[in-house]
Each structure stands twice: as C-alpha cells, then as structure tokens.
Amino acid sequence: MTALDAPRKPYDIDSLTDVALRVFAERGYDGASMDDVARAAGITKASIYHHVSGKEALLERGLGRALDALFAIIEEPEAREGRAIERLRHIVARVAETTLQLLPELTVLFRVHGASKSEREAVERRRAFDRHVTEIIAGAQRDGDVRRDLDPRLASRLIFGMSNSVVEWYRSGTLSRETIARAVVAIAFEGIAARRG
Amino acid sequence: MTALDAPRKPYDIDSLTDVALRVFAERGYDGASMDDVARAAGITKASIYHHVSGKEALLERGLGRALDALFAIIEEPEAREGRAIERLRHIVARVAETTLQLLPELTVLFRVHGASKSEREAVERRRAFDRHVTEIIAGAQRDGDVRRDLDPRLASRLIFGMSNSVVEWYRSGTLSRETIARAVVAIAFEGIAARRG
DNA sequence: GCGCCCCTACCGAGCGTTCGGGCGGGGAAC
DNA sequence: GTTCCCCGCCCGAACGCTCGGTAGGGGCGC
C-alpha cells in the first residue's frame, strides 16, 4: 500500500467510464478530449487504451448504463400494476430520482443526437421508452384521470423534458434529490397554480 | 437579372448566421465544422471568412438573437403590468412561442455551457432572465396564486426546462406551434391531471 | 524473469484560419 | 461606345494546431 498520497485507483473499465462520463457531462462529448479524460483519471492518454478500445466505447458504456437504469424503472411492479395514472406517477418520480442519482450518465444520454452508430442505437432505445410511457398516458386519459385536451405524446415529451432538464443545472447542494423529484411530480400532475377552495 | 437557375444568394452576415445556426443546431457547435456550414450555404469555407471573422462570431450572433428575443418578452406590457400570476402566464406562453419561432437560435442557446467567452456571457444573460422570472414567481406565491410548497427558483427552472425541451424534438409538421405553447402553459399551471368536479 | 500496466514519443487526419489570386461587373476616362 | 481598371466576392491550397489512436520501451510486483 502506497500510503502516501495516491489513492491508487483501480483503473478498470468501469472506473474509467465513471471518470469519462463526468468529463463528457462537463465539456460535452465532442468538446471533451481523451487527454481531458486522462488528466481527470490521473493517467496518460495512451494508458486508457490499455483498458478500453476508444472514446466511443466509453460513450457506449455510459449510454448503456443510463438506458438500463431507465428500462429497469418500467419493470418495477409499481410501474406494471394498478391504475394507469398511478403507474405514471411512479415512473415520473423514479425517472427524476434516477436522473439525479446517475447524473453524468443521463446528462450524456439526454444530449445525444445520433451522430454515430452507438448514439443512434441509444436514440432508438430512448424512443422505445417514450412510446411505452405515451401508451400509459393514453390509458390514463381513457380512464378519465388525465385531461383530454392534451396529446399523450406531447404530454410525455413535455413531462420528461421538464424532468430531464435537471441535468442542466443540478449540482449536489442546497436542494435535496427528494425535493426536486417531488416538485417534478407535483408540477407535472397538478401544476404550480394554487388550488382554489 | 440572371433568371436562369441560381437563386443568387445574398451571402451577408445575417444569412450566413441563419445557415450556421441550422448546422449548429443539428450537429452541435463543437460537432459542426466550418466546412459543414460552408456546404450548407453553397459556398467555400474560405469565403465565409470574407463576411464573418470566424466560427465563434457566428455563434455569438446567434446567441445574441436568442437572448434579445427573450428579453424583449419581459419588456412587453403584459409582462410588466397586472397580477404576478398573469404576467407569468404571459411570459411562459410567449417564451414557448418564441422558442418555436426562433428554433435554431434557441436550440443553440439552450445547449451552451460556458466554454468560451461569448458562451459565458450568454450564460450570464440567461441567468439574469431566470432571476427576473423567479422574482415574479415569488410574487405570485405571496399573492397566494402559486402553491407554497414549491421553491420559486426550482419552479422557474422546471417550467423553462419543460418549455425549452421542445428544441430537442420539434420539427415543423403534425403539431402546430399554438398547440404546443398552450400545452406548455397548461401543464406548467394546472398539470396533466383531470380536474375533479 | 515474466507479465501486466503505464509511460514517452509519435502518427495521420481533420480542424479553424489565412493567403494570394482569379473572376466579373460597374464606373471613369477618352 | 469602347477601354481599362478597380474592387467586391469567391476560390484552391496550405498553415499551425489539436485530435483520437498507435508503437514500443521500462519498471514494478509476483
């Protein structure tokens, strides 16, 4: 054990992916260089290639993490059983929580636009997630629990647009994750207006 | 008049900014090359430099357009006079409309993260806009028109996060701008849940 | 002393930008 | 009306630099 200063990082694929995602989230994937990642990891650029095949592999692993986390949510029992509006409430809350918990991963995912092959696959998986939620909203609308003047697809996009936007400003501190997730659900379902009576 | 085929583009700073913003919005500022812009304009890369000083100047002009449009909104009479909640309603609706109208400009603005000097200035102006709206929300809360369990700053960020997210998926077609702007306001103030009674 | 892990040094490609020149039309000179 | 030149506009080519990625050597632990 070199007990001096170096914490002696493990430097495996996963820990390098952690570092890379933080850098990608901060500088943007295109704007971040492998040297940036290397410096953040306390290692040389060439050494990264001993562990991963390249820059895009780091992105791909990050996108996979993010999407796996999202799809895990819609597999949860509370997202599969019960009234549509309650399933929706659960999903929205859990997506917001997960976004705050896996902030770098989801920051990168939400900014991807299909430039490369792995990006295009990620966009496709996101669309599948979106379709699933849109279906639930349509169901809740049929139940009479969601106002009928809203297009389900539009509502889905706006709600997750609101939820996803936390990656643009959240920095751990002042507001707790719970507070934010609760606010997302509150606005999405009841809005900011004070209830009358 | 060369009535043949060439539409004989004007190729001034503004028209090149138009083209550049569309390219930046599609590929991302970092991901877009000056060759991409040149090709989209039907001109050579070198020729662009006859009209503008460089890539960042194109970005700066685009960010200026976007921010000017946003600040023009809070100068409108409906945003300055009357009950806070009604001023807020007006601003949210107008921001959504403006976003859809100046889509490339605001797409680029919403993705900027302060990498260069002009980006940092744009971020600062956005923050000023946000502070202004946050103040209005706080006022509406004091009036009893906004529920008290929401932090005004958080509410402001989430509402505009929802509104701004349209740049990620809107393509002129199926849904009209009015429909979208109305949905943004509807969800922000009343939420998607059906009213009881 | 063998193998894993990281280093220094380097490569070709692509970037934003610059340079010098060519082309073409409009106005002045005659 | 013809000639000539100037100047705005655009191009091909190349510069310096940084990028993602590679080659090969060295050192440390087992």
PDB file of all heavy atoms in Angstrom, chain B residues 121-135:
ATOM      1  N   GLU B 121     -20.798  34.760 -21.443  1.00  0.00           N
ATOM      2  CA  GLU B 121     -21.661  35.946 -21.391  1.00  0.00           C
ATOM      3  C   GLU B 121     -23.125  35.574 -21.621  1.00  0.00           C
ATOM      4  O   GLU B 121     -24.019  36.118 -20.985  1.00  0.00           O
ATOM      5  CB  GLU B 121     -21.194  36.966 -22.437  1.00  0.00           C
ATOM      6  CG  GLU B 121     -19.890  37.655 -22.080  1.00  0.00           C
ATOM      7  CD  GLU B 121     -19.363  38.520 -23.223  1.00  0.00           C
ATOM      8  OE1 GLU B 121     -20.045  38.613 -24.260  1.00  0.00           O
ATOM      9  OE2 GLU B 121     -18.270  39.093 -23.064  1.00  0.00           O
ATOM     10  N   ALA B 122     -23.339  34.636 -22.553  1.00  0.00           N
ATOM     11  CA  ALA B 122     -24.705  34.202 -22.825  1.00  0.00           C
ATOM     12  C   ALA B 122     -25.300  33.515 -21.597  1.00  0.00           C
ATOM     13  O   ALA B 122     -26.469  33.741 -21.239  1.00  0.00           O
ATOM     14  CB  ALA B 122     -24.732  33.256 -24.024  1.00  0.00           C
ATOM     15  N   VAL B 123     -24.501  32.685 -20.941  1.00  0.00           N
ATOM     16  CA  VAL B 123     -24.974  32.018 -19.730  1.00  0.00           C
ATOM     17  C   VAL B 123     -25.353  33.047 -18.677  1.00  0.00           C
ATOM     18  O   VAL B 123     -26.379  32.910 -17.988  1.00  0.00           O
ATOM     19  CB  VAL B 123     -23.890  31.055 -19.191  1.00  0.00           C
ATOM     20  CG1 VAL B 123     -24.220  30.603 -17.785  1.00  0.00           C
ATOM     21  CG2 VAL B 123     -23.738  29.853 -20.115  1.00  0.00           C
ATOM     22  N   GLU B 124     -24.559  34.096 -18.577  1.00  0.00           N
ATOM     23  CA  GLU B 124     -24.827  35.136 -17.582  1.00  0.00           C
ATOM     24  C   GLU B 124     -26.140  35.868 -17.888  1.00  0.00           C
ATOM     25  O   GLU B 124     -26.945  36.127 -16.992  1.00  0.00           O
ATOM     26  CB  GLU B 124     -23.654  36.128 -17.540  1.00  0.00           C
ATOM     27  CG  GLU B 124     -23.731  37.109 -16.389  1.00  0.00           C
ATOM     28  CD  GLU B 124     -24.090  36.438 -15.073  1.00  0.00           C
ATOM     29  OE1 GLU B 124     -23.465  35.416 -14.697  1.00  0.00           O
ATOM     30  OE2 GLU B 124     -25.037  36.898 -14.422  1.00  0.00           O
ATOM     31  N   ARG B 125     -26.381  36.164 -19.162  1.00  0.00           N
ATOM     32  CA  ARG B 125     -27.632  36.834 -19.537  1.00  0.00           C
ATOM     33  C   ARG B 125     -28.834  35.918 -19.273  1.00  0.00           C
ATOM     34  O   ARG B 125     -29.892  36.376 -18.860  1.00  0.00           O
ATOM     35  CB  ARG B 125     -27.605  37.255 -21.013  1.00  0.00           C
ATOM     36  CG  ARG B 125     -26.696  38.436 -21.287  1.00  0.00           C
ATOM     37  CD  ARG B 125     -26.827  38.919 -22.735  1.00  0.00           C
ATOM     38  NE  ARG B 125     -28.125  39.556 -23.024  1.00  0.00           N
ATOM     39  CZ  ARG B 125     -28.528  39.916 -24.238  1.00  0.00           C
ATOM     40  NH1 ARG B 125     -27.744  39.698 -25.284  1.00  0.00           N
ATOM     41  NH2 ARG B 125     -29.694  40.489 -24.419  1.00  0.00           N
ATOM     42  N   ARG B 126     -28.650  34.631 -19.539  1.00  0.00           N
ATOM     43  CA  ARG B 126     -29.731  33.688 -19.250  1.00  0.00           C
ATOM     44  C   ARG B 126     -30.052  33.682 -17.771  1.00  0.00           C
ATOM     45  O   ARG B 126     -31.209  33.613 -17.369  1.00  0.00           O
ATOM     46  CB  ARG B 126     -29.327  32.268 -19.657  1.00  0.00           C
ATOM     47  CG  ARG B 126     -29.739  31.892 -21.058  1.00  0.00           C
ATOM     48  CD  ARG B 126     -29.546  30.406 -21.279  1.00  0.00           C
ATOM     49  NE  ARG B 126     -30.572  29.596 -20.643  1.00  0.00           N
ATOM     50  CZ  ARG B 126     -30.597  28.266 -20.676  1.00  0.00           C
ATOM     51  NH1 ARG B 126     -29.631  27.613 -21.307  1.00  0.00           N
ATOM     52  NH2 ARG B 126     -31.548  27.598 -20.094  1.00  0.00           N
ATOM     53  N   ARG B 127     -29.013  33.719 -16.971  1.00  0.00           N
ATOM     54  CA  ARG B 127     -29.216  33.725 -15.520  1.00  0.00           C
ATOM     55  C   ARG B 127     -30.013  34.957 -15.095  1.00  0.00           C
ATOM     56  O   ARG B 127     -30.872  34.884 -14.216  1.00  0.00           O
ATOM     57  CB  ARG B 127     -27.869  33.683 -14.799  1.00  0.00           C
ATOM     58  CG  ARG B 127     -27.466  32.282 -14.383  1.00  0.00           C
ATOM     59  CD  ARG B 127     -26.426  32.335 -13.275  1.00  0.00           C
ATOM     60  NE  ARG B 127     -25.060  32.350 -13.819  1.00  0.00           N
ATOM     61  CZ  ARG B 127     -24.355  31.256 -14.061  1.00  0.00           C
ATOM     62  NH1 ARG B 127     -24.869  30.064 -13.827  1.00  0.00           N
ATOM     63  NH2 ARG B 127     -23.131  31.334 -14.524  1.00  0.00           N
ATOM     64  N   ALA B 128     -29.708  36.099 -15.720  1.00  0.00           N
ATOM     65  CA  ALA B 128     -30.440  37.323 -15.392  1.00  0.00           C
ATOM     66  C   ALA B 128     -31.917  37.165 -15.735  1.00  0.00           C
ATOM     67  O   ALA B 128     -32.797  37.575 -14.965  1.00  0.00           O
ATOM     68  CB  ALA B 128     -29.832  38.508 -16.158  1.00  0.00           C
ATOM     69  N   PHE B 129     -32.180  36.569 -16.887  1.00  0.00           N
ATOM     70  CA  PHE B 129     -33.575  36.305 -17.277  1.00  0.00           C
ATOM     71  C   PHE B 129     -34.243  35.407 -16.243  1.00  0.00           C
ATOM     72  O   PHE B 129     -35.373  35.662 -15.807  1.00  0.00           O
ATOM     73  CB  PHE B 129     -33.605  35.652 -18.665  1.00  0.00           C
ATOM     74  CG  PHE B 129     -34.981  35.405 -19.194  1.00  0.00           C
ATOM     75  CD1 PHE B 129     -35.652  36.378 -19.904  1.00  0.00           C
ATOM     76  CD2 PHE B 129     -35.614  34.180 -18.981  1.00  0.00           C
ATOM     77  CE1 PHE B 129     -36.934  36.155 -20.392  1.00  0.00           C
ATOM     78  CE2 PHE B 129     -36.896  33.953 -19.456  1.00  0.00           C
ATOM     79  CZ  PHE B 129     -37.551  34.937 -20.165  1.00  0.00           C
ATOM     80  N   ASP B 130     -33.539  34.379 -15.849  1.00  0.00           N
ATOM     81  CA  ASP B 130     -34.086  33.435 -14.876  1.00  0.00           C
ATOM     82  C   ASP B 130     -34.395  34.114 -13.543  1.00  0.00           C
ATOM     83  O   ASP B 130     -35.439  33.867 -12.947  1.00  0.00           O
ATOM     84  CB  ASP B 130     -33.075  32.298 -14.666  1.00  0.00           C
ATOM     85  CG  ASP B 130     -33.690  31.111 -13.964  1.00  0.00           C
ATOM     86  OD1 ASP B 130     -34.705  30.597 -14.478  1.00  0.00           O
ATOM     87  OD2 ASP B 130     -33.176  30.705 -12.902  1.00  0.00           O
ATOM     88  N   ARG B 131     -33.481  34.990 -13.106  1.00  0.00           N
ATOM     89  CA  ARG B 131     -33.717  35.705 -11.846  1.00  0.00           C
ATOM     90  C   ARG B 131     -34.981  36.550 -11.926  1.00  0.00           C
ATOM     91  O   ARG B 131     -35.768  36.613 -10.981  1.00  0.00           O
ATOM     92  CB  ARG B 131     -32.507  36.598 -11.520  1.00  0.00           C
ATOM     93  CG  ARG B 131     -31.378  35.876 -10.821  1.00  0.00           C
ATOM     94  CD  ARG B 131     -30.374  36.876 -10.249  1.00  0.00           C
ATOM     95  NE  ARG B 131     -29.711  37.640 -11.299  1.00  0.00           N
ATOM     96  CZ  ARG B 131     -28.566  37.291 -11.884  1.00  0.00           C
ATOM     97  NH1 ARG B 131     -27.954  36.185 -11.515  1.00  0.00           N
ATOM     98  NH2 ARG B 131     -28.023  38.036 -12.816  1.00  0.00           N
ATOM     99  N   HIS B 132     -35.158  37.198 -13.069  1.00  0.00           N
ATOM    100  CA  HIS B 132     -36.341  38.037 -13.254  1.00  0.00           C
ATOM    101  C   HIS B 132     -37.626  37.210 -13.097  1.00  0.00           C
ATOM    102  O   HIS B 132     -38.542  37.600 -12.371  1.00  0.00           O
ATOM    103  CB  HIS B 132     -36.294  38.703 -14.634  1.00  0.00           C
ATOM    104  CG  HIS B 132     -37.442  39.621 -14.913  1.00  0.00           C
ATOM    105  ND1 HIS B 132     -37.411  40.963 -14.608  1.00  0.00           N
ATOM    106  CD2 HIS B 132     -38.657  39.385 -15.452  1.00  0.00           C
ATOM    107  CE1 HIS B 132     -38.552  41.525 -14.945  1.00  0.00           C
ATOM    108  NE2 HIS B 132     -39.336  40.590 -15.475  1.00  0.00           N
ATOM    109  N   VAL B 133     -37.669  36.065 -13.779  1.00  0.00           N
ATOM    110  CA  VAL B 133     -38.867  35.231 -13.714  1.00  0.00           C
ATOM    111  C   VAL B 133     -39.049  34.656 -12.314  1.00  0.00           C
ATOM    112  O   VAL B 133     -40.172  34.573 -11.807  1.00  0.00           O
ATOM    113  CB  VAL B 133     -38.794  34.095 -14.755  1.00  0.00           C
ATOM    114  CG1 VAL B 133     -39.994  33.179 -14.623  1.00  0.00           C
ATOM    115  CG2 VAL B 133     -38.715  34.674 -16.161  1.00  0.00           C
ATOM    116  N   THR B 134     -37.938  34.272 -11.693  1.00  0.00           N
ATOM    117  CA  THR B 134     -38.026  33.735 -10.335  1.00  0.00           C
ATOM    118  C   THR B 134     -38.680  34.746  -9.390  1.00  0.00           C
ATOM    119  O   THR B 134     -39.495  34.378  -8.534  1.00  0.00           O
ATOM    120  CB  THR B 134     -36.625  33.363  -9.822  1.00  0.00           C
ATOM    121  OG1 THR B 134     -36.051  32.400 -10.708  1.00  0.00           O
ATOM    122  CG2 THR B 134     -36.693  32.782  -8.422  1.00  0.00           C
ATOM    123  N   GLU B 135     -38.337  36.003  -9.592  1.00  0.00           N
ATOM    124  CA  GLU B 135     -38.931  37.056  -8.764  1.00  0.00           C
ATOM    125  C   GLU B 135     -40.445  37.138  -8.965  1.00  0.00           C
ATOM    126  O   GLU B 135     -41.203  37.328  -8.014  1.00  0.00           O
ATOM    127  CB  GLU B 135     -38.288  38.410  -9.098  1.00  0.00           C
ATOM    128  CG  GLU B 135     -37.096  38.740  -8.212  1.00  0.00           C
ATOM    129  CD  GLU B 135     -37.438  38.559  -6.732  1.00  0.00           C
ATOM    130  OE1 GLU B 135     -38.405  39.184  -6.276  1.00  0.00           O
ATOM    131  OE2 GLU B 135     -36.764  37.768  -6.043  1.00  0.00           O
TER     132      GLU B 135
END
